[in-house]
Amino acid sequence: MESYLKENFEVEPKNPTEEALKKWRSAVWLVKNPRRRFRMVADLAKRAAAEKKRRKIQEKIRIALYVQKAALQFIDAANRTERKLSEEVVQAGYDIEPEDLAYIVRSHNNKTYDFHGGLQGLARKVKVSLRNGVLSGDIPKRQQIFGYNQFVEKPQRPLWMFIWDALQDMTLIILMMCAVISVGVGIATEGWPKGMYDGLGIILCILLVVVVTAVSDYKQSLQFKDLDKEKKNIIIQVTRDGTRKKVSIYDLVVGDIVHLSIGDQVPADGVFIDGYSLSIDESSLSGESEPVNIDKKKPFLLSGTKVQDGSGKMLVTSVGMKTEWGRLMVMLSEGGDDETPLQVKLNGVATIIGKIGLAFAVLTFFVLTSRFILVKFIRGEMGKWRMNDGLELLNYFAIAVTILVVAVPEGLPLAVTLSLAFAMKKLMNDRALVRHLSACETMGSATCICTDKTGTLTTNHMVVTRLWAAGDTKDIKTKEKLKSSISEKVLTVLLQSVFLNTNSEIVKDDTGKTSIIGSPTETALLEFGLLFQNNYTQEAKNVKIVKVEPFNSVKKKMSVLVALSNGKLRAFCKGASEIILNMCDKVINEDGEVVQISDKQRKAITDVINGFACEALRTICLAFKDIETGSTSDDSKSNSNSNDIPESNYTVIAVVGIKDPVRPGVKEAVKTCLDAGIMVRMVTGDNINTAKAIAKECGILTADGLAIDGLAFREKSDVQLKEIIPRLQVMARSLPLDKHKLVTFLRNELKEVVAVTGDGTNDAPALHEADIGLAMGIAGTEVAKENADVVIMDDNFKTIVVVARWGRSVYINIQKFVQFQLTVNVVALMTNFVSACTSGSAPLTAVQLLWVNMIMDTLGALALATEPPHDGLMKRPPIGRDVNFITKVMWRNIIGQSIYQLIVLGILQFNGKKLLNLNGPDSTAVLNTMIFNTFVFCQVFNEINSRDMEKINVIKGMFDSWVFMIVMVCTVTFQIIIVELLGTFASTIPLSGNMWLASILMGAVSMPVGVVLKYIPVESSTPSHDGYEPLPRGPELA
């Protein structure tokens, strides 16, 4: 079976090929209900059509953006006149129509832009201050006139459509036809109402199956819709009511002033207000990979594009479906998401079992019909055919079709969807947003986690605790003592460096309380600056910012060029201490004088940096350089090369040590990973000494582990890498390309299943390459999140471990469900087939088999596929990349339980009347009811058995799983109702108390049988979990 599955039903978890997707679809055979079975499977034809349509729109946009003459084909902007304002717009107080406003950015035509008065003209027309932004009270009015920032989405399918989908099952349709015929023939032969009971029973049972199935599917779809909305929710920084604040992308309105920085997604169409070195990647819209530089001459920003470099502010001019991105998003949603490897594999299992089931159904019908005809022949009644004979043959056909209903496990692939939906919802509560379904599965196989340090292992609440300036190291304790120990000249240039060279902003809320919006490192520096100078705007009053180079993870520094009040230019630079120190040839002494730096001083500063780093402090070096000549014209503000910021000959101002404590619980989470066979590697841009100190504190770096910096890593050959990477635990001062190289090597050469964290734009290639990309929800850019499979909403390493637990839980839960369903399949098929061959009748009727099908399909999936994870899952090694899905342990349990159940049901079938002392005309009906009841209770107790495939105590945690308990109670309750009250429809007879007790006891014996089976040794690919020794890994064993 496994070789067949690997050959035909194998797809990659990420970015599967079109060929692999088509291959498994063509291999699927005997699908009862394609509409339901493939509801969560990508529609390749629809996807291809949507892609074609998307490319057409992209081509139109590309022409409009890059070929101005072609853009003018649509509307001659030069001759364009302003359309008359509608009554609605006039009453709202605006001076421009929404369509005119949207056209300005969409056309990318400066003439139209100038026609409306440029930036200031548009701001006047939409009634907004470029300084204070939109007033909160105006938002409803703006949404009414200019629209909401939401895209048209397919409406949620109502419940009746899911009921309709469930009714498309071919076998159920055949059964309903049989039931209708049965009612007609029954009434004709047996009269009303007795003649209709058999057929009506089947119809009612089919309706029950359909409703339960439809409600389950409907609830899943609601969960996916909620998660999908959460995936698209982006937090935007805007200026409103004169203050900078964070809002949801859905709440953005025309007139908003949006702040953009590296990695952000442009949330709506708009025009550039101001900024520095703003570079936009428009490939998502136009297909062009070349970035576009945005300035006052090229001010147009399109929704859905990404900020590749720089920073800036924009005025929103159109939102939602009035943007090009809105039109394109409708296309992007067509075709659905790729199916997961487990869904594909279980479609394969369903196909194999379906073929076997079809053979049994045909054989059963053939045997029953042959026996019936043979009996008629022996009795010499071949020439006499009555209505009852036709009804009997119809009943045989109904039984054969019902066997097919039971035999084709349509619920297997759908159980994966159910389990994943449940896991995704729970993970959302645990602060992890799963973007791609397959990540839930793959995380269970992760053998290695490459994690960032800042914010993931640490709290990201940074405070400056140490300072080196003017040759002296100081602890940051009291402001007065610190201020007295630093000369006025040194303090002046230090504060200039802090307040001018920053991407963050100090704002006051409605209550007047000061807060800082920006990265944690910048926040720590600004809070340090505020100790000395409360009037933080003072430094900016007498200077003019000429050019800014924002921080990026490759250069590991941020620079700014400012024009001082005396007309001279001064550059400030800050960043990774050793990198900035190498750019400096001078230093400020204790008198505030600039002097040449000696080798002795350079060594002393290096020792200070290493000293701070060994105390687990993040070190930042601040430097400046005065420039004698240069222009300060406005043109230089927007991407001019006339004032490039220098790269050398700086003067060292200070080195600061920033404390970022390790998160509570991280050490325990790392130990959990090591016990679970998951190697944790820290990959950080920080100083190697800081990285080593934090790694030791977290339990990542062990005595025999290796810590290396990015430069040394890059110089290693592939042979050397193969030797060192198994021991590599810390990589410091790494570039994004180093992370990508490490992930690629681990996956391709060492065959590891790699999870990697990332937050920056440059982390996107590594996130995309990894088996599981984990983006940070707080510190992460939109580019990083878009390339990730899971977004860690709280940036906490502990949450990553939770995702790993759920990943293992999903895989194990599906295995448990498969084990349970295959056991029911084997027993139901064999019981009816053997009985048909020997006695010429089937003990389980069509109605009873439909009920059994619901127990093992929808209800079984609900019970077993939604079991929450337990700690024991993290005391076993990861699930291998190429392990057999149906393990030897599962086969042992399936075969053992099937043999027990077949023996019990066989004894009842052939010797039941004698054992149970049954006499009288209804003895056969009582026996058949007893067989049915015993069979159902065998499944109830086997469902409990299936909660753990290896552990003996299967009761542990059962009462904590409320879904499991509800399913168990419902199953037993409905079984009592069917046997005791619905005998007319279900062909059952009420049983005595002793009979009920005997049925329950025979079912319950399957639990001690399960215990005995678990003592039978089989080769297991993974050792058992709870109660066993953890794997011999971890800091304490180094």
Side-chain angles (χ1 to χ4, degrees):
M1 182 188 273
E2 287 294 338
S3 59
Y4 174 77
L5 291 176
K6 281 177 182 174
E7 186 184 339
N8 297 289
F9 293 89
E10 195 82 47
V11 296
E12 286 294 317
K14 282 180 84 167
N15 311 311
T17 64
E18 190 88 358
E19 186 186 354
L21 294 176
K22 285 178 179 175
K23 187 177 182 181
W24 83 259
R25 282 165 172 76
S26 62
V28 169
W29 189 74
L30 196 65
V31 178
K32 296 189 295 182
N33 188 347
R35 284 182 68 153
R36 181 168 182 257
R37 174 96 158 254
F38 301 129
R39 186 168 51 82
M40 296 302 294
V41 168
D43 187 328
L44 298 183
K46 200 179 276 187
R47 184 189 282 181
E51 179 64 19
K52 198 175 176 183
K53 217 181 277 184
R54 186 176 69 87
R55 283 180 181 166
K56 274 187 182 177
I57 292 176
Q58 275 191 330
E59 184 59 22
K60 279 185 182 178
I61 295 168
R62 194 188 68 78
I63 291 169
L65 297 185
Y66 297 100
V67 189
Q68 285 295 324
K69 287 178 184 176
L72 296 178
Q73 284 177 18
F74 298 103
I75 296 175
D76 185 5
N79 301 323
R80 187 176 173 85
T81 56
E82 197 168 5
R83 72 175 76 184
K84 190 181 176 185
L85 297 179
S86 66
E87 189 67 30
E88 193 181 19
V89 171
V90 171
Q91 284 182 355
Y94 303 116
D95 297 331
I96 190 167
E97 281 290 319
E99 284 302 324
D100 286 336
L101 197 55
Y103 174 81
I104 292 168
V105 173
R106 200 162 61 226
S107 68
H108 263 56
N109 194 284
N110 287 71
K111 288 182 180 178
T112 314
Y113 180 56
D114 294 337
F115 174 81
H116 287 281
L119 175 66
Q120 297 295 336
L122 289 180
R124 280 195 303 274
K125 289 185 176 185
V126 297
K127 308 300 181 199
V128 69
S129 159
L130 294 175
R131 181 182 179 84
N132 297 323
V134 168
L135 298 174
S136 296
D138 289 348
I139 289 170
K141 184 170 68 173
R142 290 177 184 275
Q143 287 174 332
Q144 185 185 346
I145 300 296
F146 298 106
Y148 291 82
N149 197 30
Q150 291 178 1
F151 308 125
V152 171
E153 293 182 0
K154 287 182 181 176
Q156 171 62 38
R157 298 175 79 218
L159 178 60
W160 70 264
M161 286 190 74
F162 286 93
I163 292 172
W164 177 250
D165 281 355
L167 280 167
Q168 302 306 302
D169 190 315
M170 186 53 66
T171 51
L172 292 184
I173 292 168
I174 294 168
L175 274 179
M176 278 192 280
M177 288 165 64
C178 291
V180 170
I181 296 167
S182 175
V183 169
V185 175
I187 291 171
T189 55
E190 297 179 43
W192 173 272
K194 190 180 177 185
M196 72 167 188
Y197 289 146
D198 286 347
L200 190 60
I202 294 173
I203 290 170
L204 291 174
C205 207
I206 287 171
L207 289 177
L208 181 64
V209 169
V210 164
V211 169
V212 171
T213 302
V215 169
S216 174
D217 291 349
Y218 178 64
K219 289 189 75 176
Q220 280 179 51
S221 76
L222 290 178
Q223 287 177 345
F224 282 120
K225 193 152 185 83
D226 290 344
L227 289 165
D228 196 48
K229 189 173 182 184
E230 193 62 42
K231 275 192 258 184
K232 293 172 184 171
N233 188 17
I234 300 169
I235 301 302
I236 309 294
Q237 291 196 17
V238 298
T239 297
R240 279 186 185 173
D241 304 313
T243 60
R244 191 161 160 178
K245 53 184 72 174
K246 294 177 181 178
V247 300
S248 164
I249 191 170
Y250 300 125
D251 298 330
L252 210 62
V253 294
V254 167
D256 263 325
I257 310 299
V258 176
H259 299 257
L260 299 171
S261 55
I262 294 177
D264 284 351
Q265 176 176 309
V266 179
D269 285 0
V271 291
F272 178 76
I273 299 173
D274 59 39
Y276 305 97
S277 311
L278 188 61
S279 177
I280 300 291
D281 174 11
E282 292 185 343
S283 59
S284 57
L285 266 182
S286 65
E288 290 285 340
S289 56
E290 199 65 34
V292 177
N293 294 322
I294 301 294
D295 53 33
K296 291 190 174 178
K297 291 177 182 175
K298 283 186 182 176
F300 307 111
L301 291 144
L302 290 170
S303 176
T305 56
K306 309 289 188 302
V307 180
Q308 190 162 307
D309 203 358
S311 60
K313 290 192 289 184
M314 67 173 266
L315 170 68
V316 175
T317 57
S318 50
V319 294
M321 290 308 295
K322 288 189 171 66
T323 67
E324 293 288 3
W325 183 246
R327 290 164 59 202
L328 200 59
M329 280 298 284
V330 178
M331 299 296 108
L332 292 174
S333 64
E334 293 287 334
D337 294 327
D338 286 326
E339 49 274 22
T340 72
L342 260 185
Q343 283 174 321
V344 173
K345 196 165 277 188
L346 289 181
N347 267 295
V349 173
T351 298
I352 294 168
I353 298 167
K355 288 177 180 178
I356 297 166
L358 179 63
F360 269 92
V362 171
L363 271 173
T364 305
F365 181 68
F366 177 74
V367 169
L368 288 170
T369 308
S370 299
R371 281 185 64 102
F372 178 76
I373 292 170
L374 189 63
V375 169
K376 280 188 78 71
F377 179 76
I378 291 168
R379 290 176 181 172
E381 296 176 356
M382 286 301 289
K384 299 173 186 175
W385 288 85
R386 295 182 298 275
M387 289 283 275
N388 280 343
D389 294 337
L391 198 60
E392 192 71 20
L393 287 172
L394 187 67
N395 186 42
Y396 294 158
F397 182 70
I399 288 168
V401 173
T402 314
I403 285 174
L404 199 59
V405 172
V406 176
V408 180
E410 204 88 319
L412 280 182
L414 298 167
V416 180
T417 311
L418 177 67
S419 188
L420 289 171
F422 184 78
M424 286 169 74
K425 188 179 179 185
K426 292 293 182 184
L427 281 169
M428 191 68 214
N429 296 337
D430 288 334
R431 311 296 297 139
L433 173 64
V434 179
R435 289 177 53 83
H436 299 132
L437 273 177
S438 59
C440 257
E441 293 172 15
T442 315
M443 199 64 193
S445 302
T447 58
C448 165
I449 297 174
C450 297
T451 177
D452 289 331
K453 174 185 75 70
T454 307
T456 309
L457 298 170
T458 60
T459 59
N460 223 8
H461 295 147
M462 300 191 188
V463 181
V464 176
T465 58
R466 303 291 298 277
L467 171 72
W468 176 92
D472 191 22
T473 302
K474 304 163 181 64
D475 286 330
I476 312 297
K477 288 180 181 174
T478 62
K479 177 172 72 173
E480 291 73 20
K481 189 176 178 182
L482 188 62
K483 201 167 184 178
S484 63
S485 66
I486 304 174
S487 72
E488 194 65 36
K489 282 185 179 178
V490 175
L491 190 59
T492 300
V493 73
L494 174 60
L495 292 178
Q496 276 186 340
S497 175
V498 168
F499 288 118
L500 297 177
N501 188 18
T502 181
N503 254 340
S504 295
E505 191 173 330
I506 302 168
V507 296
K508 284 190 177 180
D509 59 21
D510 299 335
T511 61
K513 186 182 174 184
T514 299
S515 61
I516 299 166
I517 294 179
S519 72
T521 307
E522 297 260 28
T523 300
L525 287 170
L526 288 175
E527 284 175 346
F528 166 71
L530 289 171
L531 289 174
F532 302 97
Q533 187 170 302
N534 287 328
N535 185 9
Y536 49 86
T537 57
Q538 185 179 320
E539 296 299 340
K541 277 182 182 175
N542 302 320
V543 299
K544 181 179 181 182
I545 293 176
V546 178
K547 191 170 185 180
V548 175
E549 283 183 5
F551 178 85
N552 72 54
S553 52
V554 176
K555 291 184 176 180
K556 299 195 184 299
K557 65 183 178 70
M558 177 184 177
S559 308
V560 64
L561 187 64
V562 300
L564 302 174
S565 54
N566 59 10
K568 290 184 178 179
L569 293 178
R570 175 173 285 179
F572 290 101
C573 188
K574 70 177 178 194
S577 297
E578 58 269 39
I579 292 171
I580 303 298
L581 182 59
N582 286 336
M583 293 167 59
C584 298
D585 59 0
K586 294 179 277 295
V587 65
I588 293 185
N589 64 18
E590 56 272 14
D591 300 319
E593 303 297 325
V594 175
V595 296
Q596 287 293 320
I597 194 167
S598 66
D599 290 342
K600 185 179 177 183
Q601 282 175 312
R602 190 178 291 277
K603 185 180 182 304
I605 297 170
T606 303
D607 289 344
V608 167
I609 292 167
N610 290 335
F612 285 1
C614 288
E615 294 172 30
L617 301 179
R618 165 173 272 200
T619 66
I620 302 289
C621 184
L622 307 171
F624 81 101
K625 179 181 182 178
D626 283 324
I627 302 163
E628 293 300 323
T629 58
S631 164
T632 62
S633 66
D634 285 340
D635 292 340
S636 66
K637 187 176 182 180
S638 301
N639 301 320
S640 171
N641 293 323
S642 58
N643 286 310
D644 285 338
I645 300 176
E647 297 287 330
S648 59
N649 303 324
Y650 278 82
T651 302
V652 178
I653 304 169
V655 176
V656 296
I658 301 174
K659 181 72 176 171
D660 185 13
V662 170
R663 283 183 184 271
V666 161
K667 189 170 184 179
E668 292 77 10
V670 169
K671 187 177 183 301
T672 300
C673 284
L674 297 174
D675 288 347
I678 303 171
M679 178 85 165
V680 182
R681 294 179 168 91
M682 180 199 286
V683 183
T684 178
D686 242 331
N687 179 293
I688 191 161
N689 291 315
T690 307
K692 283 163 75 173
I694 294 287
K696 284 176 182 172
E697 193 177 340
C698 294
I700 292 172
L701 185 60
T702 59
D704 62 345
L706 180 67
I708 193 172
D709 69 21
L711 183 64
F713 178 78
R714 289 191 288 279
E715 290 171 351
K716 301 287 182 189
S717 67
D718 283 355
V719 175
Q720 290 173 312
L721 287 176
K722 208 161 193 173
E723 189 180 318
I724 67 163
I725 282 180
R727 293 193 301 118
L728 179 65
Q729 291 171 339
V730 176
M731 192 199 296
R733 284 290 182 242
S734 67
L735 301 177
L737 284 176
D738 298 332
K739 189 185 279 188
H740 183 265
K741 184 178 179 180
L742 175 63
V743 170
T744 307
F745 200 90
L746 283 165
R747 289 189 74 227
N748 298 344
E749 299 298 323
L750 302 181
K751 304 301 177 189
E752 299 232 25
V753 179
V754 184
V756 66
T757 68
D759 51 21
T761 305
N762 293 320
D763 286 329
L767 290 167
H768 190 265
E769 174 65 26
D771 293 286
I772 311 104
L774 304 159
M776 299 297 108
I778 299 168
T781 62
E782 285 311 311
V783 173
K785 291 175 191 175
E786 211 168 79
N787 283 275
D789 303 295
V790 181
V791 178
I792 306 300
M793 308 293 277
D794 58 359
D795 291 15
N796 194 339
F797 185 80
K798 283 169 70 179
T799 307
I800 298 172
V801 180
V802 171
V803 177
R805 286 177 77 224
W806 272 104
R808 292 183 175 200
S809 178
V810 165
Y811 192 89
I812 298 293
N813 283 350
I814 299 303
Q815 282 188 317
K816 292 189 288 192
F817 175 61
V818 169
Q819 176 185 292
F820 168 69
Q821 190 164 49
L822 290 188
T823 308
V824 185
N825 270 9
V826 170
V827 177
L829 289 177
M830 292 303 295
T831 301
N832 267 17
F833 177 69
V834 172
S835 178
C837 290
T838 54
S839 66
S841 65
L844 300 175
T845 65
V847 171
Q848 291 167 2
L849 281 172
L850 282 169
W851 168 237
V852 168
N853 181 62
M854 195 161 80
I855 291 173
M856 75 173 195
D857 199 327
T858 309
L859 296 179
L862 273 171
L864 293 170
T866 59
E867 283 260 274
H870 52 82
D871 293 335
L873 291 172
M874 299 303 281
K875 289 190 174 80
R876 55 189 288 156
I879 301 149
R881 197 190 279 269
D882 297 314
V883 296
N884 292 346
F885 178 73
I886 303 179
T887 62
K888 291 179 180 177
V889 169
M890 290 168 69
W891 281 123
R892 176 198 66 191
N893 296 340
I894 291 165
I895 294 166
Q897 287 290 348
S898 298
I899 289 170
Y900 165 70
Q901 290 184 27
L902 286 169
I903 289 170
V904 169
L905 296 174
I907 291 169
L908 285 175
Q909 174 71 20
F910 299 113
N911 213 18
K913 288 183 182 179
K914 187 178 176 183
L915 286 173
L916 299 171
N917 197 23
L918 297 176
N919 299 300
D922 62 349
S923 59
T924 303
V926 172
L927 180 62
N928 284 343
T929 303
M930 187 69 184
I931 291 171
F932 167 57
N933 209 35
T934 305
F935 176 69
V936 167
F937 276 101
C938 280
Q939 308 326 313
V940 168
F941 286 101
N942 191 35
E943 201 160 351
I944 298 169
N945 258 330
S946 297
R947 291 191 67 249
D948 200 294
M949 294 177 288
E950 299 173 69
K951 197 172 62 175
I952 288 166
N953 184 4
V954 291
I955 303 294
K956 185 181 177 183
M958 185 173 80
F959 297 102
D960 298 329
S961 178
W962 60 271
V963 178
F964 187 92
M965 292 309 299
I966 288 171
V967 169
M968 289 291 100
V969 170
C970 287
T971 304
V972 172
T973 304
F974 272 111
Q975 180 62 18
I976 293 168
I977 292 168
I978 286 169
V979 171
E980 296 295 321
L981 303 174
L982 299 177
T984 312
F985 300 105
S987 304
T988 57
I989 282 183
L991 298 176
S992 65
N994 288 337
M995 293 269 195
W996 272 102
L997 184 61
S999 296
I1000 293 167
L1001 286 175
M1002 282 186 280
V1005 171
S1006 66
M1007 294 190 71
V1009 167
V1011 172
V1012 172
L1013 288 171
K1014 285 166 188 173
Y1015 277 107
I1016 299 172
V1018 292
E1019 187 186 336
S1020 176
S1021 56
T1022 56
S1024 297
H1025 30 292
D1026 282 358
Y1028 286 75
E1029 287 294 312
L1031 295 172
R1033 298 177 71 168
E1036 72 280 1
L1037 296 162

